Amino acid sequence: MPLHDIEPRADCERLVRAFYGRALSDPIIGFIFVDVAQLDLEAHVPRIASFWETILLGARTYGGGAFAPHAALNAKVRLREGHFAQWLHLWCDTVDELFAGERAELAKAHARRVATAFLGRLRHLPEPSAPIGGLTITQHGPGSH
Ligand code: HEM
Ligand code: HEM
């Protein structure tokens, strides 16, 4: 069967659930959701679905303020370019696997814009001040003695 475009909201939810199915077990970014944020998926999915419904389907179900939780997260674990690259990789793969069309393209394009904007804003914030989860960070290599 040919893939159809994203419509209606139920498709946004399906996309978001499929994305988290990958993201939570991802070797590069999974720990950020599971261990650092301890994400409550059932509470989170409707908010994220509203975010995408607002962008893709012209709904007004998302109120804004998407950056703040990422700034809070970044205070616990530095969110780097490689994390965003992996996030985008998983997102675009998930979109392409499930949907095809103008909205599917927009879902990928807008995610890239938001990721670039978030990364740019996070760069201005200080490094996390304390190591997480009782890990001891040791310095190695030249300059550590
Ligand atoms: C269909 C039109 C669009 C809709 C409905 C839309 C909607 C949204 C929403 C809801 C957010 C989250 C805002 C927040 O949480 O405060 C957002 C963020 C963003 N959008 Fe769009 N957008 C659209 C088109 C565009 C276009 C055309 C661009 C750029 C060419 C763009 C660039 C961005 C960027 C860079 C952010 C992140 C801003 C930040 O928090 O740093 N958007 N958009
Ligand atoms: C390294 C990349 C990213 C990580 C690790 C990450 C992680 C998270 C986590 C853990 C939350 C939940 C925070 C909480 O409720 O306590 C969250 C919320 C959210 N994220 Fe991300 N995120 C990333 C990138 C992005 C990108 C690129 C977008 C946009 C396309 C995005 C959109 C959102 C939105 C809309 C929310 C909901 C904010 C709200 O509750 O209103 N995230 N993210």
Side-chain angles (χ1 to χ4, degrees), residues 20 29 32-33 37 39 44 47-48 51-52 62 64-66 69-70 73 79 83-84 87-88 110-111 114-115 118:
Y20 282 109
I29 59 171
I32 303 175
F33 298 99
L39 187 70
H44 186 63
R47 291 189 64 85
I48 299 287
F51 173 81
W52 288 110
Y62 185 72
H70 301 88
L73 204 55
L79 298 180
H83 297 127
F84 280 97
W87 192 105
L88 282 172
H110 200 273
V114 177
F118 280 7

Side-chain angles (χ1 to χ4, degrees), residues 11-84:
D11 279 349
C12 296
E13 283 220 24
R14 196 172 142 231
L15 174 58
V16 167
R17 282 189 191 281
F19 169 75
Y20 282 109
R22 295 174 181 201
L24 296 185
S25 59
D26 184 75
I28 299 171
I29 59 171
F31 80 99
I32 303 175
F33 298 99
V34 177
D35 301 319
V36 181
Q38 300 182 354
L39 187 70
D40 175 353
L41 201 59
E42 289 316 306
H44 186 63
V45 165
R47 291 189 64 85
I48 299 287
S50 294
F51 173 81
W52 288 110
E53 187 188 24
T54 298
I55 292 162
L56 302 176
L57 306 178
R60 304 242 171 112
T61 48
Y62 185 72
F67 178 69
H70 301 88
L73 204 55
N74 182 74
K76 297 180 184 162
V77 58
R78 191 63 154 173
L79 298 180
R80 296 182 189 282
E81 191 167 359
H83 297 127
F84 280 97

